[in-house]
Every structure is written in structure tokens, then in C-alpha cells.
């Protein structure tokens, strides 16, 4: 072999398009299979077990009353617009995102935390109802508007129909966003410009689709607002129905509501941290993220609370305390790692992070090699999964249905870590190989 011959870099950015998720065929199968999977799992949670009879699933996963489905669709569309209104009118911070490949930095309206609390206030004291009727020529006689708590039992009664309505609305929004990506000047995602319509529709063709004179970012908004906040409201609805049925709220229901409410609150409180994540900086906004944000998250992440309404395991106080400690461990790792990374990115010389060691890359960026990030390259994923496991443990061991989330989430995190590892090899080259030698473990220090 000639001395001048170079060994090809297996992580060099490919000249031909590189598909993920099985390419166009995999994208088609995913788009076709996810909606029925959501409806099936919500049905399993309601009956507390797996029932593979297709006729039972089809007949009972939603009401089959299309008036109700239309009503639920209108309700979800109104919910979405309410969250848009809050994003538009509430005070906000204007935060600069990361520098994109075209050199541009987008501005984001960060007020998700305030929108979260405003939503909860409206939920319990701001739901308008009109009472009385108009009589004679006096348009105001006997008519008045009152403000009360929202009737949460409606969310339990029409859980399957709401799930179906979310699927329909997510599909419509995904089609709109795909068509919008063909507008001249749209910045396309590198991974979503394959030329295959079904693949690009699924993965997301446009990187950061925006409307309202470029000030409304569809992707950042949908990542945090309608689906996440809606998830916590579904949980509270299930707790209220359990109280109606049993006369009390069980310890398991209390814990799963606290755990998941805190998780969502934390995401919205730390909203600016999402601006540096792969979802925002790299992935296009297509069916994968639209469906994931606004159908998969609220209706599958609430499976535990829905299961507990009718199938509570009546766990002992000692078991609940152990599960509480498991969740606290996961949250401590998850929040500690993410906060440390975010603080270092914003100010490497900050008081709390200036002591951290790092690898200086040829690109000019720094990769942390101590603290949380010296223990494992994806230590935050480990904390995230420990929390997910605790959410499932509150349901006991009578059924595998509530454990779907922990199983799915484990697969998701492994896949995301592999995607990120490949992208970092392309981005950092030899520096990433050096970094992996310094921090050899991916999830659990000393093990894997």
C-alpha cells in the first residue's frame, strides 16, 4: 500500500443520502402503525390487561360516534389555540438559539413556565359557563357567565375519542408543515431532504418552520406546550375520577401525578435548555415529532394514571417510599446532569462549573470530561429512565401494560444515543474518539 494512501474515515459525512428508521419503507410502516398502536394501548390501559382480539380492540378503543370524535377534535383544536394565545400574549424572554449551519440564530419567545401556571389557574377557576336564558326583549335577563373548574371527568369519559382526535389533528398539521417546507427560502433539515416524499414527511423536511412573521416557532412550541401540559391535565382527571369511584385517591395515583407533574414543570421551567437539543438543532419537524409531541406523549405517557383508575394495586406505604426514593435518584441525576451541561455551555467560567475538566476540540467547542459527564456520556438518559421506571412501579406487577413506557423508553434512549454518537463522530472527527477513550461508558459508570 502506498504511504500516501489514507485509511477512510467510517464516520465521514456520506456523499449519498443516509436514511434512518429503515428508509422510506420504515417511515411508511411507522406512520401507518403508530396511530393504531396508540388507540390499542389506551384501550389496554382501560381494561388493565393485554387483549389481542382485533374485534374487541376495534370496537372498544373509541366510541365510534363520529359526532363525539368531531366534538373532541374541536376541543383539542381549541386547546391548541389557547396555548398559542398564551405564547403570544404572556410576557416572555427573547432567547437566541444556537448558530445554525447557514450562520443564522433564531429568536425564541420563552414563556412556557408562565403558560404552565396560567393554564392550571384557568383549569380550576377560569372555565367559563353560561347559565340562564334570554327572555323577551331583554337580552341580559337571566343570562350570566360564571367561572368554575373544568369538568375533568370528560377527559376520562372520552379518552379513546380524544386520542383518535389527536391523531387526526397531528396528521393534518404534519401535512401542512410538509407543504410549507416547499416555500422558497425554507431552511431544510439535512436529514429530511432525501427526495422521498413519505420519508421526508415522516422525518421532517423543514428544520425550523415558523409563522406569524417568523416569530412563532412551530417545533419549539409543540415540543413543550400542548402535549406536555395536556398530559398532566389528563393525569389529574384520572385522579379525580378515581376519587369519585373509590371515595379516595390512592397512594400510587398521588405519586404518579406528583412524579409526572414535576417532570413537566421542570421541562417548562428549564425551557431555554431545549434550544440546544437534537430535536431543535438537527431534526426536521415532521410527522415523527408532531405525532410524538401531541399524541404519543399525552396519551401514552398517561397510561399509568389511566390504569390506576380501575386497577390500583393498593401498595403498602413502605413500597411507595421505596418508589419515591427511586424517582428522587433518577430526577437528581437527570436534572443535575442537564443543569451542569447547560450552565457550562452558557458560561464555562461560571462559579459552579469553572472547575470542570474538558476536551478542547478542533471545532473550538469543549466536551466535558468530569462531573456528571465524566461518569458517562449519556448519564442524563440514565436518570431519565430511572424516573420512567418509578412511574411504572407504582402500578404494581399485575399487568405489563403500565410498563410499556419503560420498555419503549429504554429502546428510544438507546437509539437516540446511537444517533447522537454517529453525528458526533461526523461533527468532531478524531476528537470524538479521544473523548470516548476519556469517558468510555455510555449510560452506567463502570458497566455500560
Amino acid at each position: 500500500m502506498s504511504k500516501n494512501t489514507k485509511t477512510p474515515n467510517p464516520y465521514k459525512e456520506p456523499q449519498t443520502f443516509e436514511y434512518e428508521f429503515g428508509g422510506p419503507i420504515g417511515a411508511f410502516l411507522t406512520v401507518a402503525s403508530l396511530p393504531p398502536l396508540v388507540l390499542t394501548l389506551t384501550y389496554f390501559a382501560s381494561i388493565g390487561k393485554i387483549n389481542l382480539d382485533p374485534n374487541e380492540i376495534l370496537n372498544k378503543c373509541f366510541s365510534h360516534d363520529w359526532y363525539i370524535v368531531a366534538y373532541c377534535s374541536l376541543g383539542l383544536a381549541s386547546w391548541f389555540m389557547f396555548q398559542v394565545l398564551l405564547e403570544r400574549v404572556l410576557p416572555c424572554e427573547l432567547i437566541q438559539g444556537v448558530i445554525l449551519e447557514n450562520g443564522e440564530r433564531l429568536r425564541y419567545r420563552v414563556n412556557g413556565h408562565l403558560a404552565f401556571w396560567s393554564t392550571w389557574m384557568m383549569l380550576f377557576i377560569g372555565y367559563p359557563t353560561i347559565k340562564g336564558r334570554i327572555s323577551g326583549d331583554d337580552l341580559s335577563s337571566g343570562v350570566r357567565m360564571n367561572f368554575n373548574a373544568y369538568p375533568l371527568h370528560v377527559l376520562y369519559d372520552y379518552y379513546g375519542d380524544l386520542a383518535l382526535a389527536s391523531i387526526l389533528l397531528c396528521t393534518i398539521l404534519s401535512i401542512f408543515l410538509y407543504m410549507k417546507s416547499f416555500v422558497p427560502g425554507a431552511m431544510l433539515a439535512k436529514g429530511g431532504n432525501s427526495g422521498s416524499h413519505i420519508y421526508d414527511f415522516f422525518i421532517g423536511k423543514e428544520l425550523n418552520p415558523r409563522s406569524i412573521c417568523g416569530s412563532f416557532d412551530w417545533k419549539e412550541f409543540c415540543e413543550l406546550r400542548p402535549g406536555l401540559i395536556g398530559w398532566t391535565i389528563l393525569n389529574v382527571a384520572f385522579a379525580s375520577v378515581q376519587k369519585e369511584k373509590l371515595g379516595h385517591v390512592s397512594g400510587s395515583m398521588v405519586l404518579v401525578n406528583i412524579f409526572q407533574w414535576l417532570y413537566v414543570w421542570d421541562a417548562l421551567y428549564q425551557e431555554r435548555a431545549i434550544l440546544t437539543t437534537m430535536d431543535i438543532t438537527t431534526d426536521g419537524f415532521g410527522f415523527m415529532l408532531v405525532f410524538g409531541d401531541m399524541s404519543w406523549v399525552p396519551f401514552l405517557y398517561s397510561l399509568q394514571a389511566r390504569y390506576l383508575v380501575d386497577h390500583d394495586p393498593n401498595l403498602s406505604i413502605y413500597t411507595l417510599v421505596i418508589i419515591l426514593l427511586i424517582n428522587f435518584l433518577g430526577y437528581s441525576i437527570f436534572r443535575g446532569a442537564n443543569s451542569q451541561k447547560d450552565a457550562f455551555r452558557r458560561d464555562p467560567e461560571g462559579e459552579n462549573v469553572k472547575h470542570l475538566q474538558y476536551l478542547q476540540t478542533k471545532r473550538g467547542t469543549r466536551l466535558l470530561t468530569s462531573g456528571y459527564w465524566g461518569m458517562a456520556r449519556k448519564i442524563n438518559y440514565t436518570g431519565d429512565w430511572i424516573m420512567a421506571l418509578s412511574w411504572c412501579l407504582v402500578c404494581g406487577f399485575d399487568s405489563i401494560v403500565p410498563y410499556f413506557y419503560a420498555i419503549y423508553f429504554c429502546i428510544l434512549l438507546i437509539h437516540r444515543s446511537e444517533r447522537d454518537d454517529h453525528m458526533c463522530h461526523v461533527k468532531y472527527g478524531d476528537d470524538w474518539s479521544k473523548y470516548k477513550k476519556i469517558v468510555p461508558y455510555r449510560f452506567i459508570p463502570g458497566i455500560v
Side-chain angles (χ1 to χ4, degrees):
M1 181 180 290
S2 169
K3 292 182 179 180
N4 295 325
T5 302
K6 294 183 178 180
T7 303
N9 178 5
Y11 297 104
K12 184 179 179 181
E13 197 162 354
Q15 298 301 310
T16 58
F17 191 87
E18 186 173 348
Y19 287 111
E20 298 182 88
F21 301 99
I25 295 175
F28 172 78
L29 293 175
T30 304
V31 171
S33 63
L34 287 183
L37 179 60
V38 168
L39 294 176
T40 299
L41 287 169
T42 54
Y43 168 64
F44 287 170
S46 69
I47 64 173
K49 61 183 179 180
I50 294 175
N51 178 0
L52 298 180
D53 183 340
N55 291 325
E56 284 281 315
I57 296 170
L58 183 61
N59 292 329
K60 296 184 178 180
C61 65
F62 69 101
S63 70
H64 291 271
D65 185 329
W66 294 104
Y67 174 81
I68 292 176
V69 174
Y71 180 80
C72 290
S73 298
L74 179 61
L76 287 183
S78 301
W79 163 253
F80 186 92
M81 294 308 300
F82 173 65
Q83 292 300 321
V84 172
L85 178 65
L86 293 181
E87 192 269 353
R88 292 285 93 186
V89 303
L90 291 177
C92 70
E93 284 186 87
L94 292 176
I95 304 296
Q96 295 281 348
V98 301
I99 300 175
L100 303 175
E101 288 199 358
N102 63 357
E104 185 181 2
R105 294 185 73 181
L106 299 176
R107 286 204 308 176
Y108 294 87
R109 291 176 57 86
V110 174
N111 59 7
H113 187 231
L114 188 55
F116 177 78
W117 287 111
S118 299
T119 299
W120 280 95
M121 181 185 71
M122 291 291 292
L123 182 70
F124 287 109
I125 64 173
Y127 181 70
T129 56
I130 297 176
K131 291 190 175 182
R133 62 180 182 176
I134 298 174
S135 60
D137 297 328
D138 186 356
L139 298 180
S140 63
S141 63
V143 178
R144 63 185 183 275
M145 178 178 286
N146 295 332
F147 292 89
N148 297 291
Y150 181 79
L152 291 169
H153 66 85
V154 171
L155 304 180
Y156 170 85
D157 295 339
Y158 301 116
Y159 187 48
D161 296 286
L162 287 166
L164 177 59
S166 75
I167 291 166
L168 296 175
L169 293 176
C170 286
T171 303
I172 292 170
L173 178 56
S174 299
I175 292 171
F176 163 74
L177 292 170
Y178 184 64
M179 294 174 64
K180 184 180 179 300
S181 70
F182 290 94
V183 173
M187 183 177 178
L188 305 183
K190 186 179 295 185
N193 192 22
S194 70
S196 166
H197 290 298
I198 184 62
Y199 182 82
D200 293 346
F201 169 79
F202 167 70
I203 207 75
K205 190 175 179 70
E206 188 173 358
L207 181 61
N208 299 107
R210 291 192 159 211
S211 297
I212 313 179
C213 300
S215 65
F216 178 77
D217 191 284
W218 285 93
K219 182 164 60 171
E220 196 271 346
F221 172 81
C222 292
E223 280 272 316
L224 290 177
R225 311 294 180 100
L228 279 183
I229 299 175
W231 166 23
T232 62
I233 293 174
L234 283 170
N235 281 354
V236 171
F238 297 143
S240 70
V241 172
Q242 188 193 59
K243 187 176 187 303
E244 290 177 8
K245 290 189 171 190
L246 302 180
H248 66 273
V249 180
S250 70
S252 290
M253 183 68 85
V254 169
L255 281 189
V256 80
N257 267 269
I258 292 174
F259 291 165
Q260 296 181 350
W261 186 94
L262 178 62
Y263 186 84
V264 172
W265 169 83
D266 179 85
L268 289 156
Y269 183 73
Q270 305 285 348
E271 181 179 6
R272 64 191 300 166
I274 198 178
L275 302 182
T276 59
T277 62
M278 182 190 299
D279 284 356
I280 299 297
T281 63
T282 306
D283 291 334
F285 194 45
F287 182 87
M288 179 179 72
L289 288 181
V290 172
F291 185 86
D293 292 341
M294 296 191 294
S295 186
W296 188 269
V297 165
F299 291 98
L300 289 195
Y301 287 24
S302 60
L303 285 181
Q304 291 84 23
R306 176 61 188 88
Y307 174 86
L308 289 170
V309 174
D310 302 303
H311 311 283
D312 194 276
N314 297 311
L315 299 179
S316 70
I317 186 66
Y318 304 106
T319 303
L320 294 175
V321 168
I322 292 172
I323 295 172
L324 177 64
L325 294 175
I326 292 172
N327 182 268
F328 180 75
L329 172 65
Y331 180 77
S332 299
I333 296 171
F334 173 77
R335 177 44 49 211
N338 283 332
S339 295
Q340 188 177 79
K341 179 173 66 176
D342 189 53
F344 187 80
R345 281 176 171 171
R346 280 189 278 164
D347 182 12
E349 301 303 321
E351 190 63 31
N352 294 328
V353 293
K354 64 182 181 180
H355 66 283
L356 295 174
Q357 299 174 5
Y358 57 86
L359 173 67
Q360 182 70 53
T361 69
K362 299 181 183 70
R363 289 175 57 92
T365 53
R366 301 171 178 179
L367 300 174
L368 284 171
T369 58
S370 65
Y372 282 102
W373 301 94
M375 291 188 284
R377 302 190 300 274
K378 291 297 179 184
I379 191 72
N380 57 329
Y381 286 7
T382 303
D384 210 351
W385 189 81
I386 292 172
M387 284 191 290
L389 179 62
S390 72
W391 304 347
C392 302
L393 289 172
V394 298
C395 297
F397 300 101
D398 291 335
S399 172
I400 196 173
V401 172
Y403 287 85
F404 170 82
Y405 177 68
I407 297 168
Y408 141 79
F409 200 47
C410 179
I411 297 170
L412 174 71
L413 293 179
I414 292 172
H415 178 258
R416 284 180 67 93
S417 71
E418 290 174 348
R419 286 184 72 204
D420 188 58
D421 185 70
H422 176 76
M423 290 179 182
C424 287
H425 268 294
V426 173
K427 183 177 181 179
Y428 297 111
D430 293 340
D431 286 331
W432 187 251
S433 298
K434 292 179 185 177
Y435 171 70
K436 289 176 70 173
K437 290 180 180 178
I438 299 172
V439 187
Y441 299 103
R442 188 185 302 189
F443 298 117
I444 304 174
I447 299 176
V448 62

